[in-house]
Amino acid sequence: EAQVTQNPRYLITVTGKKLTVTCSQNMNHEYMSWYRQDPGLGLRQIYYSMNVEVTDKGDVPEGYKVSRKEKRNFPLILESPSPNQTSLYFCASASYQEQGSYEQYFGPGTRLTVT
Amino acid sequence: GQSLEQPSEVTAVEGAIVQINCTYQTSGFYGLSWYQQHDGGAPTFLSYNALDGLEETGRFSSFLSRSDSYGYLLLQELQMKDSASYFCAVRGPNQAGTALIFGKGTTLSVSS
């Protein structure tokens, strides 16, 4: 089954304690991305990756890091989480197309609470 | 920059037709997409318009007017399960157009 998986699905942590949210896709997609979703703000892009070893900032990258060492994996790293990073996080992947819908497949989400 | 405007909420009754509008501003246009998201769940792709006109997929249709920088999602024969948030999205602004910029979403509530 084609899918994007994220772990953990729920996480409660404390300020300053480094954490990693994993994301993996089995569709051989070149493109992967992280979004955060906050009430009233919609989905905002944090980082994206066009392919292995190629990453770039989205709209809200501050406080986050990513890496793309393998095509299927795109972990999101919070080196020193703060309460304003409490949010619902989604990973997504897509097959790069110069034209077309660029349909993105989303993971189930990770609900993060930083106290 | 990129921006998308859509209504925050829409309400309707079962069996009705509802239209969710989206206006956008973008430098370089690849097309307008629509995603559906049930409460707390993953967004899922609904439709895409690259050219002017109406695209129909079952009960859902999507329209685009590039000259007006405007599109809409039309939902017919509404069902309770259509209660969800709907997001319009455009590609860009980076070189490859790979970033997907979302509107803030429209919450549709369908009542019986």
Side-chain angles (χ1 to χ4, degrees):
Chain A
E1 180 192 354
Q3 61 181 348
V4 178
T5 57
Q6 293 178 230
N7 281 293
R9 295 287 314 279
Y10 302 90
L11 179 60
I12 301 174
T13 189
V14 296
T15 299
K17 185 176 180 182
K18 181 179 178 180
L19 66 92
T20 299
V21 184
T22 64
C23 173
S24 183
Q25 51 95 4
N26 63 359
M27 294 167 279
N28 201 36
H29 286 164
E30 299 87 3
Y31 178 86
M32 296 186 75
S33 181
W34 276 102
Y35 298 88
R36 62 177 289 173
Q37 185 173 31
D38 303 289
L41 296 179
L43 288 150
R44 296 180 293 167
Q45 191 176 48
I46 303 171
Y47 269 94
Y48 64 94
S49 170
M50 289 282 288
N51 215 323
V52 176
E53 302 292 0
V54 181
T55 63
D56 208 347
K57 297 177 181 179
D59 292 329
V60 288
E62 294 77 20
Y64 305 94
K65 286 175 58 177
V66 292
S67 68
R68 187 91 182 273
K69 293 184 170 54
E70 305 167 283
K71 198 172 186 179
R72 64 184 293 125
N73 296 323
F74 190 46
L76 179 70
I77 303 155
L78 285 73
E79 294 270 3
S80 183
S82 62
N84 65 11
Q85 292 179 297
T86 293
S87 187
L88 178 59
Y89 291 86
F90 288 101
C91 180
S93 72
S95 177
Y96 176 67
Q97 307 162 27
E98 191 164 330
Q99 304 293 330
S101 69
Y102 208 55
E103 177 182 350
Q104 302 214 356
Y105 295 79
F106 284 80
T110 295
R111 191 168 291 279
L112 172 65
T113 302
V114 183
T115 61
Chain B
Q2 319 280 117
S3 67
L4 299 102
E5 295 289 332
Q6 51 182 129
S8 57
E9 291 183 23
V10 174
T11 59
V13 296
E14 273 188 303
I17 299 173
V18 73
Q19 179 174 312
I20 300 174
N21 299 320
C22 175
T23 57
Y24 60 87
Q25 284 187 318
T26 178
S27 53
F29 181 72
Y30 293 81
L32 185 69
S33 299
W34 289 92
Y35 285 76
Q36 178 191 59
Q37 183 184 31
H38 285 98
D39 193 29
T44 55
F45 176 81
L46 285 178
S47 68
Y48 171 75
N49 295 69
L51 303 175
D52 291 353
L54 193 68
E55 296 279 344
E56 298 183 60
T57 310
R59 294 187 297 113
F60 294 2
S61 303
S62 57
F63 171 84
L64 177 66
S65 168
R66 287 175 297 169
S67 60
D68 296 322
S69 297
Y70 163 76
Y72 64 73
L73 181 68
L74 190 73
L75 298 86
Q76 303 182 75
E77 301 173 20
L78 280 174
Q79 302 174 10
M80 298 290 286
K81 68 178 182 179
D82 297 329
S83 293
S85 292
Y86 294 84
F87 296 88
C88 56
V90 294
R91 289 173 62 170
N94 62 344
Q95 273 188 335
T98 52
L100 200 61
I101 310 301
F102 287 84
K104 293 182 179 179
T106 298
T107 301
L108 170 64
S109 300
V110 181
S111 59
S112 56

